[in-house]
Amino acid sequence: MDEAATKPVSRTILQASAVGLLAILCYLPSLRCPIDFEDDGARLPNMAAEETLAQRWERTWFGSLEEARFIGPFRPVYHAYYEFQSYLFGTRIEAWRLTRLAILGLSAGLFYVLLRDLGIPGWPAGIMVLISVTAPLRSSIWYRLAFGEGQAMVLVLIALLAARAASRSRYGWCWDGVGILCVLAAILTKNVFVAVVPAQMLLRVWADGESLWAGIKRRWPVALLISSTVALPIGHVIYFKTQVDGASDYEVIAPGLTQLLDMVRGVGLAAGWDFLAVSFVITLLAVLCSKRARSLLFDEHRRVVLAGALLLSAGVIVYLPALMGRSPAGRYTIPAVWGWDLIGAALLSATAGIGVVSLRRLAGATLGIGLAVMVGLNVYQQVEFTCRCQTLWETARWLRDHAPTECQVGLGDRSMSAAEAQHLQGALEGLGRSDVTILPSETTLETALDQHVDVMLHRVGAEVPEGPVLTKVIDHSRLIKEVFPARMARRRRWGGIAIESQAVSSRTAAANGGEDAPR
């Protein structure tokens, strides 16, 4: 490769590095967060276990098989990722957080490279990448340790870049192998990433300088080979429907219009439309009214738009049977929302063809304001979540030090959600107090006595009845007020625990000791 050809590549890599660094800067507040328990892949007992890599691999494989048999998902790559990190880092939370930020930066950089390779200019590509990684409704995949969508994004982007490289390389079969392996790894992280296959096939057969139909006629056998990865999730669904024993959290239902509308609404929110709708509506109307801009969108960026449409459609379809009549959480719109990111990048690029300068400036100004608000809310969510995790650990340490042996802990009115109670149980196990049981439902004093509850957790402001139980008062505003002004804290009261507590107990057995959790 001559020097003239290497300059654009070097410039793109440098720009991608800058975009990745900027994405990392947006998530620096997450470095203060202790270990969280938002899913079943980052349990402290596994992190702290002194085991060899072979022992961890054995637990990963057989645990994945058991999960597939009794619950439904089969995701050995997902579990292997956390077991390998546990082997490397143990409970050093700083290493876990820095690794997560490195994956974020790599994902942002690869996404930028993909958009540039598909013909999107630098500034629309960079803006769309920042929107993609900072949109508040799906940002949790970057500051919560146990969500698999983050590492899967790297695999998906490598697969799509490999498809592009294979379409113009003499050694296309090597790139095809890379793409197939990455998609398989993504599917074994979470099987919904099978939705990437149609876009991967399109980018593989549609080479630069030729029509889509000509590419299909020349490369349909390769497309058929790439599509073979679909057999894995199809086989998993068949096994799930015929062999899974007992009840499962992943029941599949017949999709309908309600699920479709819920998914479309979820994708819109995850795409940041509540912040960017004005800008994108102005941009879309201006592009449709300009012949040159329409040509840019539907001719020059036709490949990007079609690939995004395939990814968006397939991503919506794979989740429809699993919504069970509820709106999807932000991360459940992935990978569908990535399809919108591709379309949005093409739309932003087409603004260069808008002849009315005032419209371009208006669209750019509203986009900048929306992006700034979105990043600000993202940072606030990270701080809020950090405070919540600190609440969890302070409560867990208090229970470790004060709860009697073999005791049950009841939850007062709105003191803690059921999910938080589950995470608190995991924290106690990691602190060596597996003898303490957190009851999953709210408990009154009367039912506490009937169920032999030894400790009650109460929120600040609640009436704390006197009785023969140990009580702890939780304040969901203290820590957040230390970071933000009191006015903002009053809007959303969350995170923190009051140091002061009441103890009116006739049972004061000493609890087992344990090491503090990493902070």
Side-chain angles (χ1 to χ4, degrees):
M1 185 179 291
D2 58 23
E3 184 179 354
T6 59
K7 285 185 178 180
V9 175
S10 302
R11 185 163 54 247
T12 298
I13 293 176
L14 183 62
Q15 293 169 350
S17 301
V19 171
L21 180 60
L22 188 57
I24 289 175
L25 290 176
C26 294
Y27 283 87
L28 286 182
S30 67
L31 290 176
R32 297 180 61 250
C33 187
I35 295 172
D36 60 274
F37 296 91
E38 280 302 307
D39 209 346
D40 52 3
R43 291 292 185 185
L44 182 61
N46 287 2
M47 295 165 66
E50 295 183 359
E51 297 176 327
T52 65
L53 198 57
Q55 290 173 318
R56 290 185 179 276
W57 165 248
E58 182 178 3
R59 181 171 62 221
T60 296
W61 178 247
F62 289 105
S64 299
L65 292 178
E66 288 296 302
E67 185 180 40
R69 179 182 177 188
F70 293 106
I71 301 178
F74 181 59
R75 42 184 184 170
V77 172
Y78 169 83
H79 292 297
Y81 169 80
Y82 290 105
E83 288 291 350
F84 185 64
Q85 277 198 299
S86 298
Y87 175 76
L88 292 178
F89 306 139
T91 56
R92 297 192 298 275
I93 183 59
E94 296 84 2
W96 284 79
R97 293 289 175 191
L98 288 172
T99 301
R100 199 66 170 180
L101 290 184
I103 294 174
L104 164 65
L106 180 60
S107 298
L110 288 175
F111 193 18
Y112 180 85
V113 172
L114 176 64
L115 291 175
R116 297 289 282 126
D117 186 68
L118 290 170
I120 304 298
W123 74 265
I127 289 177
M128 206 63 222
V129 169
L130 290 179
I131 291 173
S132 177
V133 298
T134 60
L137 199 64
R138 48 176 156 151
S139 62
S140 60
I141 69 172
W142 300 119
Y143 61 79
R144 298 184 179 185
L145 290 177
F147 290 168
E149 287 83 358
Q151 58 265 30
M153 186 174 183
V154 174
L155 298 170
V156 167
L157 289 168
I158 293 174
L160 296 180
L161 284 167
R164 285 286 294 159
S167 69
R168 54 175 176 256
S169 173
R170 291 186 301 170
Y171 305 99
W173 59 272
C174 293
W175 290 109
D176 289 331
V178 171
I180 289 173
L181 288 176
C182 285
V183 169
L184 285 174
I187 291 173
L188 291 175
T189 300
K190 195 171 185 178
N191 58 12
V192 296
F193 289 107
V194 67
V196 175
V197 174
Q200 181 190 20
M201 294 169 61
L202 175 77
L203 297 182
R204 177 61 180 94
V205 301
W206 197 351
D208 295 334
E210 67 179 13
S211 67
L212 174 59
W213 179 241
I216 292 175
K217 288 194 295 184
R218 288 184 57 191
R219 303 181 185 90
W220 67 265
V222 178
L224 192 62
L225 175 64
I226 290 174
S227 68
S228 63
T229 54
V230 176
L232 181 60
I234 290 177
H236 174 261
V237 170
I238 294 174
Y239 177 85
F240 174 82
K241 296 293 288 184
T242 58
Q243 300 295 327
V244 171
D245 300 330
S248 171
D249 295 334
Y250 298 86
E251 292 295 339
V252 177
I253 62 172
L257 182 60
T258 301
Q259 291 97 311
L260 177 61
L261 294 177
D262 286 340
M263 191 66 188
V264 170
R265 181 169 60 252
V267 169
L269 292 174
W273 271 79
D274 42 352
F275 305 98
L276 307 172
V278 173
S279 175
F280 277 112
V281 168
I282 293 173
T283 302
L284 180 60
L285 294 176
V287 167
L288 294 178
C289 293
S290 170
K291 183 177 179 180
R292 182 164 175 262
R294 286 199 309 271
S295 176
L296 285 174
L297 181 61
F298 297 114
D299 293 335
E300 291 192 25
H301 299 320
R302 200 170 28 174
R303 182 187 289 108
V304 185
V305 172
L306 187 53
L310 286 175
L311 185 53
L312 176 61
S313 303
V316 169
I317 290 171
V318 295
Y319 262 118
L320 289 182
L323 288 182
M324 293 179 286
R326 63 176 184 267
S327 297
R331 68 189 183 102
Y332 295 147
T333 64
I334 296 173
V337 70
W338 293 345
W340 159 251
D341 293 338
L342 293 175
I343 298 172
L347 184 60
L348 291 180
S349 177
T351 57
I354 299 176
V356 183
V357 178
S358 59
L359 280 179
R360 287 209 306 266
R361 290 176 178 173
L362 179 61
T366 53
L367 179 66
I369 294 172
L371 181 57
V373 173
M374 196 163 61
V375 172
L377 181 58
N378 184 326
V379 172
Y380 180 79
Q381 284 183 336
Q382 294 176 59
V383 174
E384 187 180 53
F385 183 72
T386 298
C387 294
R388 167 186 168 176
C389 291
Q390 290 172 351
T391 300
L392 171 71
W393 282 113
E394 290 186 21
T395 307
R397 283 190 288 269
W398 186 89
L399 288 171
R400 179 200 63 190
D401 297 333
H402 296 86
T405 305
E406 301 292 339
C407 81
Q408 296 193 94
V409 178
L411 305 178
D413 179 33
R414 291 179 292 168
S415 61
M416 190 176 298
S417 69
E420 287 175 314
Q422 180 183 2
H423 305 152
L424 178 58
Q425 184 73 67
L428 286 169
E429 292 173 6
L431 292 173
R433 291 304 306 271
S434 56
D435 61 304
V436 177
T437 301
I438 308 295
L439 299 179
S441 57
E442 293 181 356
T443 308
T444 64
L445 180 61
E446 292 75 15
T447 57
L449 296 175
D450 293 339
Q451 298 176 5
H452 305 288
V453 169
D454 304 281
V455 180
M456 285 287 294
L457 302 178
H458 293 280
R459 63 181 174 85
V460 165
E463 182 179 352
V464 181
E466 294 186 0
V469 292
L470 193 64
T471 63
K472 180 63 176 173
V473 180
I474 297 178
D475 181 4
H476 289 294
S477 63
R478 180 179 63 84
L479 291 179
I480 202 69
K481 287 178 180 178
E482 295 176 4
V483 181
F484 292 104
R487 180 178 298 179
M488 180 175 291
R490 283 197 295 269
R491 296 177 188 172
R492 300 180 68 181
R493 297 173 64 82
W494 191 276
I497 182 168
I499 297 300
E500 66 276 4
S501 63
Q502 302 181 43
V504 185
S505 176
S506 58
R507 303 177 60 185
T508 55
N512 293 330
E515 295 296 325
D516 278 359
R519 297 182 66 83

